[in-house]
Structure formats: structure tokens, C-alpha cells
Amino acid sequence: MDLTKHAFFEGKIIPFAEAKISIATHGFLYGTTVFSGMRAYWNEEKKRLFVFRPFDHFHRLLNSARMMSMDIPYDEEGLIQLTLDVLRMDDWKENVYIRPTIYKADMGIGVRLHNLKDEFAMFVTAFGKYVSNDADAHLTFSSWRRIDDNAIPARGKISGAYANSALIKTDANRAGFDEAIVLDNNGHVSEGSAMNIFMVRDGVLVTPPATDNILEGITRRCVIDLARTELGIEVVERSIDRTEVFVAEELFMTGTAAQIVAATKVDHRSIGNGKMGTITSKLRILFDDIAHARVPKYRDWNVEV
Ligand code: PMP
């Protein structure tokens, strides 16, 4: 983290180093915080920074806030403007990650959602790869289960729910894997610790539906659109059984931080021919170009800073 940059905190843009909450803050004590993770990409040719699909990220953030009985005085457009204001305070010339949060801001004891003040905050950090082995990842099936919609909705990006993701990620990494696939309580594939999952079976791109305890990923939505429009392949949203993954031709995971991670092995079994597949490879190249605002047809996916 670069302490010399700026953040949005308690209604103002201030130096990041001064944006601090108390150890008694509700959102910190009880995980009653919702968040988003966006990226802005540096386009070297244009020498400009472009935020990737901020409207979608803020729309999901406000939906998460609704689930958690939170209310802030901004809509999507207002939040995009704040993001641009924060980014323009600093001279970023590289890819960055933007973390907006809405949190229960009162101090004190008492777990609940009602009669608490909500605050919006946001910071920016330089950001490279999230999964270092993103062209050849080895996944495992986690022994943890995905949180259920009736416990903590995975559809909401709720801080407290990320204890589940942390357990999944750490156990996978400590066992020597790059990332894990998590099953939901019905035994179906849901997603990774912080990314959605896709497989190619018989030439069809398949991903779990929004009702299988996933976060409704923005990268997931982009990949579905691009696969249909640019690659002309069929995309199906349906439940996936554990062993289907072993017999898939291709497997990859998607997320804002992760982008598109090609998985070539799951629990020591090779996926397809054990190398990144052609559909995965095409989508990775396409997505990277679009995210960096290099594709005129998709320029409305990027907001110039
Ligand atoms: N699932 C989970 C649990 C996540 O945390 C993320 C990252 N936001 C994703 C999926 C991918 O979503 P997106 O493409 O919107 O970043």
C-alpha cells in the first residue's frame, strides 16, 4: 500500500494514511461491510487510465448494501464520479485495483443491522497478477463448503463471508495448489475462493447458474458475452457435478483480480491435454485487450479517467 496516495473517507478525499477507522467499528467487529473490487487499466498507447465496467461493480455493491440494510447517499453514477475524483488526485500510470466499501460505522457492541450509521470509503492500490500461475494453475476441490444463500448470501459481496474464502484459499495454497474449487451444500460446483469457474464440455462453455451460491461475477458476465459474440460458441448456465470437471476439455476461473486463470490440472488429474485450451487462450487475449481499452467495439466497457 502506498500511503502517499488518496482515499475517500467520511465524505471527503483525504490522504490514504489518514483514512482510519476505530477498532470498535461495527463493520470491523462483525464483518458488516460490503465491498467491491474494481480494476483500472493503464493503456500505454493512449497514456490514459480506464476503469473497467464501474457501473456494474457499483450496481452490485448497492445490491449487496440492500441485502445488508445499508443506505448511502450515492447512486451508481455518483460513485463513478467519486472514483474518477479519487483516481485523478494521484498520477497513476499502471494497472490499479480499486476497493470501495460500505460499512456499518457506529462504534460499540451489539450485533445487528438496524439503527446503525452507514459510511462509504474507497482506496486504490497498484496491482499486478492475483494468481501467479495463471496460465497453468493446479486446482483442488476444497474440503470446505461454500456459504449458502440462507446463511450468508454469496451473491452479496459481504466482508464477513470472506472468512469462508480465506479458509478455502489458505488450505489450498498450503497443500501446494494454486486455487480451490468449492462445492455448495448441494454438492455442486460453485466457484473458487474469489473467482467464478467455467468448463468446456463437448465444445460448450458451461458455468454454474446464479442460484448455485456464486458471486454473480462481472468478469463471468463479460466472458459469457464474449464467448457467444466473438467466439460464436454456445454458453450454458447450469449446475456442474464434481466429476464433470475431471472430464472437461478446458477449465478456467474468472475474476476482477484473477482475470482469466487457465486451470490445467485438478487434484493431480490433467484437464484435456494438460495444457491451456484454445477457447481459454482466445478469451484471455480478448479480455486483456478489451480491459485495456484497446478494442473500439467494446470501448463502452471502459470509463476514461
Ligand atoms: N466469486 C467471488 C467469491 C469473488 O470474491 C469474486 C471477486 N469479486 C468473483 C467470484 C469474481 O467476480 P468479479 O468478476 O465480479 O470480480
Side-chain angles (χ1 to χ4, degrees):
M1 297 298 312
D2 183 343
L3 299 181
T4 68
K5 303 293 191 194
H6 288 81
F8 188 88
F9 183 68
E10 296 184 341
K12 318 193 271 292
I13 298 177
I14 60 167
F16 174 75
E18 291 167 23
K20 290 183 179 157
I21 58 160
S22 160
I23 57 168
T25 304
H26 201 279
F28 170 71
L29 291 180
Y30 298 114
T32 46
T33 297
V34 299
F35 67 102
S36 171
M38 294 189 293
R39 272 183 187 261
Y41 289 87
W42 177 249
N43 181 311
E44 186 53 41
E45 205 179 299
K46 297 192 175 84
K47 303 268 182 239
R48 304 292 294 201
L49 199 60
F50 293 87
V51 188
F52 190 65
R53 297 186 72 136
F55 189 95
D56 304 79
H57 280 282
F58 285 128
H59 186 62
R60 185 176 66 194
L61 179 73
L62 293 172
N63 278 343
S64 296
R66 197 164 289 137
M67 288 178 222
M68 294 296 278
S69 276
M70 292 169 162
D71 204 11
I72 54 164
Y74 307 102
D75 62 6
E76 289 88 346
E77 293 299 343
L79 291 168
I80 292 173
Q81 193 52 54
L82 286 183
T83 308
L84 299 177
D85 292 346
V86 170
L87 286 168
R88 284 173 187 153
M89 291 295 292
D90 297 308
D91 196 20
W92 295 106
K93 288 194 168 55
E94 60 192 308
N95 293 348
V96 296
Y97 185 87
I98 305 155
R99 170 53 58 88
T101 63
I102 304 171
Y103 59 100
K104 293 285 174 192
D106 289 76
M107 285 186 260
I109 304 302
V111 64
R112 65 184 188 281
L113 294 176
H114 60 284
N115 297 339
L116 293 166
K117 180 173 72 186
D118 304 312
E119 279 286 354
F120 173 76
M122 171 163 55
F123 66 87
V124 183
T125 183
F127 205 70
K129 271 191 188 184
Y130 183 69
V131 176
S132 52
N133 197 15
D134 68 348
D136 188 25
H138 189 178
L139 313 183
T140 184
F141 279 102
S142 182
S143 61
W144 298 97
R145 290 294 167 114
R146 194 81 185 108
I147 41 162
D148 187 79
D149 195 53
N150 295 302
I152 309 179
R155 161 173 304 103
K157 223 169 148 48
I158 302 164
S159 296
Y162 278 74
N164 181 237
S165 292
L167 291 164
I168 292 160
K169 181 77 177 185
T170 286
D171 284 4
N173 286 170
R174 283 185 177 156
F177 298 96
D178 296 301
E179 179 54 52
I181 305 170
V182 201
L183 305 177
D184 70 3
N185 281 313
N186 298 319
H188 291 128
V189 169
S190 64
E191 54 183 341
S193 64
M195 41 198 108
N196 294 113
I197 189 162
F198 286 82
M199 67 172 182
V200 178
R201 271 203 83 185
D202 301 325
V204 176
L205 190 59
V206 187
T207 195
T211 45
D212 277 359
N213 296 297
I214 64 165
L215 182 78
E216 295 169 16
I218 288 149
T219 321
R220 172 183 179 275
R221 181 50 48 203
C222 295
V223 161
I224 291 172
D225 290 350
L226 293 175
R228 285 185 180 139
T229 317
E230 302 298 327
L231 271 52
I233 59 174
E234 192 186 338
V235 184
V236 176
E237 294 176 57
R238 65 152 175 89
S239 294
I240 296 178
D241 275 346
R242 176 181 191 137
T243 54
E244 282 191 285
V245 167
F246 294 139
V247 297
E249 292 122 49
E250 297 187 32
L251 189 69
F252 62 87
M253 294 184 131
T254 64
T256 297
Q259 299 163 311
I260 301 178
V261 174
T264 52
K265 256 197 237 171
V266 177
D267 286 326
H268 303 277
R269 293 152 175 91
S270 289
I271 301 303
N273 64 6
K275 297 207 172 65
M276 185 194 305
T278 51
I279 292 172
T280 310
S281 163
K282 281 183 193 162
L283 285 168
R284 276 166 57 99
I285 294 165
L286 198 54
F287 182 79
D288 193 61
D289 273 344
I290 294 171
H292 283 87
R294 293 191 290 250
V295 184
K297 182 175 171 190
Y298 289 97
R299 267 289 282 106
D300 62 344
W301 289 14
N302 321 102
V303 175
E304 187 169 346
V305 175

